[in-house]
Each structure stands twice: as C-alpha cells, then as structure tokens.
Amino acid sequence: MDQTRNSAEFLDIVYADYTNDEITNVQIDFISSKIRERSRILDIGCGTGRHAIPLARRGFDVVGLDSTKAMLDELATKADRARVKVDLRYEDILSYSAIDGEFGAAICFWNSFDQIAVDAQRGRIFFQTVYRSLARGGTLILEISNPSSFDPNTFSHRSTVERNGQTYETIYTLKNYDDVEKTTVGNELIVVRKQGEIVRRVSSDFVLRWWEKDEVADLARACGFERIEIYGDDYDPFDDASETMLFVMTKDAEYPVAQARIELATP
C-alpha cells in the first residue's frame, strides 16, 4: 500500500479544522497584503495546494515546492479542477537550486519549517536558499507553532471527522522527546472506516524541531534578513501566549557573497 499517496488523498479532510476555506482565506488575505501584486511566489512545502491554488486564482505566479510526490499529484488534480496553473517542483528546499532573485515572495506554512529544519544547519540552509532566491524587497512569510504555549514533551492529538459516509480518525502519539535538541519523534496514525469496517490505515513517523521565536529571528538575520515582523494569533502583535508565530521577513539588500552556502553532510 502506498501510504503516502493515501494520506495525501484525504489530508484536507482529516485536518479540516485547521485548513478549511475560512482559515485559508484569511491567510491568503494576509499574504496578499504583505507582498507585491502579481509577484512570483515560492510555496515551500506546498502540500496539496491549500495556498498555491487560491494565490494562483488571485493572479500570482506560483511555484509549488514539495518533497512528497503524492502531495504534488493531488495538487495537480485540484489545480486542473480549479482551472489554474501552478508550476510544481518535486524537490527539497534544502537542495533546491533557485535562481538568484527569481521570486518576489516565498511562503512556508503549517509547521513545514519545523519538519525541514530539524537542526540549526538545515535551518541555516533554508534561510540562505530562500534569501538568495528572493529579489530585493522580496518577502518570506513563515508560520510555525509557538512551543512556549504548550509542552512538546506531552503533546498528543486525537480527532474524528465524518465525511462522505466514512469516518476518519487521526491519532498523533509522541514517541521520543529530546529536550537538548528540542526535537520530537511522533507517529501519526490515520484510520479510515466505512460502516464500521477499516478500509484504510496509514501510519507514519516524523521528526519536528520546535523553534523558539528568538532562535528563528537570530538565524534569519544571520542569513541576511534585516527586517523582521512577528505576529501571533489572529495576526495581532506576537506575545508569549500566542499559539502561532508568523514571521514576515524582507530582503532589503543583495545576497551577501561572504555567506557561503553550507551543504549538508552526507551520512
């Protein structure tokens, strides 16, 4: 069974409370307010196109980047149905060969950064790659959870959704927490039932690195971003109780030549 493909097919269903049209439209309005009209946008970790498709509808030239092909396949189907064009790239941002100044904006939402930048080295490569890819005056909008608002060491999640005659149960279980590296290894189990019988069962482990606000800002500045705004819940100014951290980072200068790209070590 192709578990990744199966999860991509119903990802929008099981996380509808966090990714529904009402939430997404507010995010699209915010993104649109922070970037230039009709910018070329790099959507990092684009998934099934929750942001890419509505941004394309608004006239932006969108490149969707994701390291999971099944997500891009689902996005392609949805984009065809919506009759919009999204340029899809099956690549990892950490090895992405962006053209200098190619994009007017980049976005990375819903903890994708926490899964990409599982250590400082990868975080540095992320910011250097995005910085180089942005034109002068270009903007990176980055959304992640605020680990100060909950305890990653005890975090768990369970939800059930009824849709199209089927029941989708999602269970997140913490397997390991490293308080030095600030990483968790968790398991996500999605069980799909029809008339009480299990028809699909998808289990996957993944690593998250929980970044503090100042860690993100300091790393971004070290990679060239000088102007950084930070928002919290409901797009208000950030405070420590906010569950969400939303960074708006602007490239004011050309890519600093002295900052050589750092490559990941080969295991």
Side-chain angles (χ1 to χ4, degrees):
M1 178 185 292
D2 183 349
Q3 294 184 332
T4 303
R5 171 171 291 280
N6 286 341
S7 64
E9 289 175 1
F10 48 73
L11 190 70
D12 297 335
I13 296 174
V14 299
Y15 288 113
D17 286 348
Y18 309 97
T19 64
N20 59 53
D21 289 345
E22 181 180 357
I23 292 172
T24 300
N25 288 336
V26 173
Q27 292 175 341
I28 296 299
D29 287 341
F30 180 83
I31 293 168
S32 300
S33 73
K34 293 295 182 180
I35 64 178
R36 297 167 180 168
E37 290 185 7
R38 298 188 177 276
S39 293
R40 183 168 173 81
I41 302 175
L42 179 63
D43 184 355
I44 303 165
C46 60
T48 64
R50 182 165 69 97
H51 297 100
I53 291 173
L55 285 169
R57 281 201 191 103
R58 294 198 184 191
F60 293 100
D61 179 8
V62 183
V63 173
L65 185 74
D66 205 290
S67 59
T68 301
K69 189 175 185 301
M71 295 292 181
L72 296 177
D73 290 343
E74 189 70 16
L75 195 164
T77 299
K78 291 167 64 176
D80 285 344
R81 194 181 304 133
R83 297 184 178 180
V84 297
K85 180 183 177 182
V86 179
D87 184 358
L88 304 182
R89 308 280 177 88
Y90 176 37
E91 294 186 60
D92 187 329
I93 185 63
L94 300 182
S95 56
Y96 180 55
S97 299
I99 299 172
D100 289 4
E102 181 180 2
F103 297 98
I107 62 173
C108 186
F109 271 70
W110 206 30
N111 286 341
S112 292
F113 177 75
D114 288 337
Q115 293 188 59
I116 294 167
V118 295
D119 55 42
Q121 186 182 24
R122 287 170 171 80
R124 191 173 297 110
I125 293 172
F126 175 93
F127 283 118
Q128 288 182 340
T129 301
V130 174
Y131 189 91
R132 187 176 64 253
S133 73
L134 290 174
R136 187 169 185 175
T139 300
L140 166 64
I141 301 178
L142 174 69
E143 181 204 49
I144 57 177
S145 296
N146 175 20
S148 298
S149 68
F150 67 99
D151 183 1
N153 189 33
T154 60
F155 179 72
S156 62
H157 171 77
R158 193 181 194 109
S159 65
T160 302
V161 177
E162 303 281 346
R163 184 74 61 85
N164 302 325
Q166 296 189 141
T167 301
Y168 301 81
E169 183 179 19
T170 305
I171 304 166
Y172 173 83
T173 305
L174 178 68
K175 297 179 70 174
N176 182 62
Y177 175 66
D178 187 328
D179 60 354
V180 175
E181 299 298 331
K182 301 180 182 178
T183 58
T184 56
V185 179
N187 175 264
E188 180 189 70
L189 173 64
I190 301 175
V191 180
V192 185
R193 292 182 174 86
K194 186 171 184 178
Q195 296 179 343
E197 297 293 326
I198 296 177
V199 295
R200 288 186 182 178
R201 184 183 177 92
V202 181
S203 177
S204 57
D205 290 346
F206 56 92
V207 180
L208 288 168
R209 202 285 191 184
W210 300 101
W211 288 85
E212 300 286 349
K213 173 178 65 70
D214 291 342
E215 289 180 313
V216 175
D218 289 346
L219 188 57
R221 289 190 184 98
C223 294
F225 288 98
E226 297 177 354
R227 187 150 46 106
I228 300 175
E229 303 169 24
I230 308 175
Y231 299 86
D233 301 336
D234 300 320
Y235 307 96
D236 291 328
F238 177 82
D239 66 62
D240 290 339
S242 297
E243 294 183 2
T244 299
M245 299 189 292
L246 189 64
F247 298 82
V248 180
M249 308 176 180
T250 304
K251 176 178 178 177
D252 290 326
E254 296 302 326
Y255 183 75
V257 177
Q259 291 184 357
R261 179 184 171 87
I262 297 176
E263 300 292 346
L264 288 173
T266 302

